């Protein structure tokens, strides 16, 4: 029997084959980073490996990925390829209101101007906004920034407005604070108490109540009371495992220092860390003294997280930026792996964002490439005192969601001569 040829069907099949060939990707990956030393603490990687990105995600971390498997590759020879850094203590509720300290004010800094150039891809504003003004912070800063901006909501409804606002117990509402956090999961990732200056545990109890209600961690900037409240009671009785003690290496009026006048680290501080309290740096403009940090480190108290406490009062002082603070700790004896871990996987765990802070395939491609410079450098604390050092970290390149967002020496650029 003669076969009847179905011409329309043949035509459609040919068109389909042609389209399939056309839609085959020309390259396996979008971007490859080659020849660098990968530091990924979560996955216990510290090795010469290549990394491939496709559709804004990390898809492979392997040896010898072919440079031709993507339209573009970055040569990271002699450099360190790390997850994008996370700064868990910053102040970014930037605005133009006068006399509002770190809430919708000039003193708080717009994130993108200070993050990518330092390898940061995620920044946490701690306490700038409270439940009353969080929506302003979200529309004004969070939604408009390329940096991933998260929030620790202040237990004070008005946020960090300074002055009388932060002393108002009647504006510390754990119920409303927790309720708002539940409406923004993954954006509001904890609660903050700061700057309260009374001999009173009520503010601490309120912020922890919010933490219990929303099942989120709290960060405490403790002190300001005369006589001083017991630091041992705060760390061992009040805070829960996973809560964050910031400004650890400070020596300021109104807060008991962790190292006493004889140079002895309080045993309760190590005990608290063992119990699971996160020891955070929160360098700031007044909260990091070598007089505290050097003996504390010598007696075993390494920080879990190395944050900046970024605002206009710290960025031009001894703090400068996150890489400068990490470099201080390098020169104080921490290893490169330890300082990178503190601001990647440990920071992600502290804010309970487990999809961040590592180079696991499937993660959004937030990556930084760091250089470790050798030379003669000086590091200054918040009393204005100096320590010399020989190592300094520098950010070469930052990728946010697979896109180059900072490139110091044009690693990802073609030569103009081409
Ligand atoms: Zn702060």
């Amino acid at each position: 029997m003669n076969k009847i040829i179905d011409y329309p069907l043949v035509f459609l099949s040919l068109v389909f084959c042609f389209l399939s060939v056309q839609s085959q990707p020309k390259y396996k990956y979008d971007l490859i980073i080659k020849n660098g030393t990968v530091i990924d603490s979560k996955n216990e990687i510290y090795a010469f490996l290549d990394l491939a990105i496709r559709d804004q995600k990390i898809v492979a971390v392997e040896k010898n990925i072919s440079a031709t498997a993507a339209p573009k590759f970055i040569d990271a020879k002699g450099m360190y390829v790390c997850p994008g850094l996370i700064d868990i203590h910053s102040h970014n509720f930037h605005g133009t209101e006068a006399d509002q300290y770190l809430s919708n004010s000039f003193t708080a800094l717009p994130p993108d101007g200070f993050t990518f150039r330092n390898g940061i891809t995620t920044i946490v504003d701690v306490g700038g906004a409270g439940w009353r003004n969080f929506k302003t912070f979200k529309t004004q800063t969070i939604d408009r920034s390329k940096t991933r901006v998260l929030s620790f909501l202040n237990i004070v409804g008005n946020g960090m407005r300074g002055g009388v606002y932060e002393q108002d117990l009647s504006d510390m509402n754990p119920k409303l604070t927790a309720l708002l956090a539940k409406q923004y999961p993954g954006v509001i990732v904890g609660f903050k108490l700061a700057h309260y200056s009374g001999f009173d545990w009520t503010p601490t109890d309120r912020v922890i109540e919010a933490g219990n209600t929303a099942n989120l961690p709290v960060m405490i900037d403790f002190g300001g009371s005369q006589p001083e409240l017991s630091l041992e009671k705060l760390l061992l009785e009040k805070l829960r495992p996973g809560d964050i003690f910031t400004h650890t290496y400070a020596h300021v009026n109104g807060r008991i220092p962790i190292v006493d006048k004889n140079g002895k680290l309080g045993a309760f501080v190590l005990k608290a860390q063992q119990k699971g309290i996160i020891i955070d740096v929160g360098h700031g403009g007044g909260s990091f003294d070598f007089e505290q940090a050097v003996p504390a480190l010598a007696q075993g108290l390494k920080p879990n997280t190395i944050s900046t406490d970024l605002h206009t009062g710290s960025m031009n002082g001894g703090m400068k930026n996150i890489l400068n603070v990490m470099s201080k700790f390098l020169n104080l004896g921490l290893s490169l792996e330890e300082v990178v871990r503190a601001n990647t996987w440990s920071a992600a765990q502290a804010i309970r964002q487990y999809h961040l802070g590592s180079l696991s395939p499937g993660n959004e491609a937030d990556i930084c490439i760091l250089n470790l410079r050798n030379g003669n450098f000086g590091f200054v604390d918040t009393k204005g005192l100096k320590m010399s050092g020989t190592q300094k970290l520098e950010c070469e390149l930052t990728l946010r969601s697979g896109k180059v967002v900072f490139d110091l020496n044009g690693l990802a650029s073609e030569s103009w001569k081409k």
Side-chain angles (χ1 to χ4, degrees):
M1 205 172 92
N2 281 342
K3 235 179 173 179
I4 299 163
I5 300 170
D6 187 340
Y7 287 104
L9 192 68
V10 169
F11 176 72
L12 277 175
S13 307
L14 285 171
V15 167
F16 180 74
C17 287
F18 176 74
L19 286 175
S20 317
V21 169
Q22 286 292 299
S23 63
Q24 288 272 323
K26 198 175 166 201
Y27 296 103
K28 198 173 171 191
Y29 307 119
D30 298 332
L31 179 68
I32 290 165
I33 301 172
K34 283 188 70 68
N35 310 322
T37 300
V38 171
I39 305 181
D40 178 357
S41 303
K42 181 193 177 187
N43 295 305
E44 294 179 2
I45 296 172
Y46 192 118
F48 286 112
L49 289 172
D50 298 341
L51 186 147
I53 294 159
R54 189 178 59 228
D55 299 332
Q56 290 99 52
K57 289 194 160 62
I58 296 163
V59 288
V61 182
E62 298 166 4
K63 271 187 185 164
N64 303 322
I65 298 176
S66 165
T68 58
K72 187 158 151 173
F73 88 93
I74 292 169
D75 188 357
K77 190 163 188 259
M79 300 173 206
Y80 298 90
V81 181
C82 309
L85 303 180
I86 303 170
D87 187 354
I88 72 159
H89 183 157
S90 184
H91 295 284
N92 302 99
F93 190 177
H94 180 70
T96 56
E97 299 292 329
D99 304 323
Q100 292 213 170
Y101 192 37
L102 291 167
S103 189
N104 202 9
S105 69
F106 286 119
T107 321
L109 295 163
D112 294 351
F114 301 86
T115 48
F116 300 142
R117 60 188 48 248
N118 295 304
I120 296 169
T121 50
T122 298
I123 201 156
V124 188
D125 175 273
V126 288
W131 70 267
R132 292 180 195 276
N133 53 8
F134 174 76
K135 280 194 183 151
T136 306
F137 177 49
K138 186 164 183 301
T139 50
Q140 198 164 283
T141 303
I142 295 177
D143 296 348
R144 289 188 191 178
S145 300
K146 286 184 183 164
T147 309
R148 182 187 293 98
V149 182
L150 306 176
S151 165
F152 267 46
L153 205 60
N154 205 312
I155 189 62
V156 178
N158 271 302
M160 223 169 249
R161 279 185 72 171
V164 294
Y165 293 97
E166 293 183 71
Q167 308 306 318
D168 183 2
L169 284 173
S170 72
D171 196 27
M172 297 183 190
N173 188 323
K175 187 179 166 191
L176 300 186
T177 305
L179 198 64
L180 192 76
K182 284 181 183 173
Q183 290 170 10
Y184 294 95
V187 179
I188 296 173
V189 295
F191 303 111
K192 176 87 186 283
L193 168 67
H195 308 156
Y196 187 73
S197 58
F199 190 75
D200 187 350
W201 287 104
T202 308
T204 306
D205 294 337
R206 296 256 175 96
V207 76
I208 288 168
E209 189 185 332
N212 284 332
T213 307
N215 193 23
L216 289 175
V218 307
M219 176 186 278
I220 306 239
D221 166 351
F222 196 58
S225 156
Q226 294 288 357
E228 292 149 333
L229 283 166
S230 163
L231 189 60
E232 183 166 357
K233 183 170 176 178
L234 175 78
L235 294 178
L236 295 184
E237 291 174 35
K238 295 288 184 183
L239 295 186
R240 310 156 301 164
D243 286 338
I244 302 161
F245 177 57
T246 192
H247 303 316
T248 299
Y249 305 97
H251 191 176
V252 289
N253 282 338
R255 199 202 89 192
I256 296 166
I258 56 166
V259 173
D260 68 19
K261 58 181 186 300
N262 300 316
K264 180 108 180 63
L265 173 71
F268 62 91
V269 188
L270 283 170
K271 212 166 151 191
Q273 193 178 40
Q274 281 152 15
K275 169 186 142 178
I277 305 302
I278 309 296
I279 297 297
D280 179 48
V281 173
H283 189 300
S287 302
F288 179 89
D289 293 348
F290 289 123
E291 159 242 306
Q292 290 286 306
V294 172
L297 286 167
Q299 290 166 73
L301 188 75
K302 292 178 182 177
N304 296 91
T305 50
I306 304 177
S307 64
T308 60
D309 188 12
L310 174 75
H311 48 72
T312 56
S314 64
M315 57 171 280
N316 293 322
M319 191 284 285
K320 296 177 180 69
N321 58 57
I322 202 162
L323 294 172
N324 187 59
V325 185
M326 288 164 75
S327 300
K328 275 184 187 174
F329 280 91
L330 260 182
N331 287 284
L332 284 167
L334 266 66
S335 69
L336 181 60
E337 194 279 328
E338 284 175 320
V339 299
V340 170
R341 173 190 291 264
N343 282 348
T344 55
W345 183 230
S346 293
Q349 288 174 295
I351 57 172
R352 302 186 193 169
Q353 301 298 301
Y354 303 105
H355 58 295
L356 304 177
S358 79
L359 300 173
S360 300
N363 275 12
E364 207 169 341
D366 288 356
I367 295 164
C368 68
I369 301 181
L370 304 179
N371 224 328
L372 184 58
R373 295 209 169 277
N374 294 304
N376 295 315
F377 305 108
F379 299 95
V380 178
D381 71 7
T382 50
K383 292 250 182 345
L385 302 173
K386 180 173 152 180
M387 176 188 81
S388 296
T390 57
Q391 294 181 300
K392 196 168 206 174
L393 286 165
E394 181 177 81
C395 178
E396 274 290 343
L397 183 137
T398 305
L399 292 167
R400 168 80 176 99
S401 200
K403 271 206 183 107
V404 175
V405 286
F406 178 77
D407 188 354
L408 186 64
N409 289 299
L411 275 187
S413 295
E414 292 286 333
S415 167
W416 69 273
K417 290 176 185 169
K418 282 188 186 172

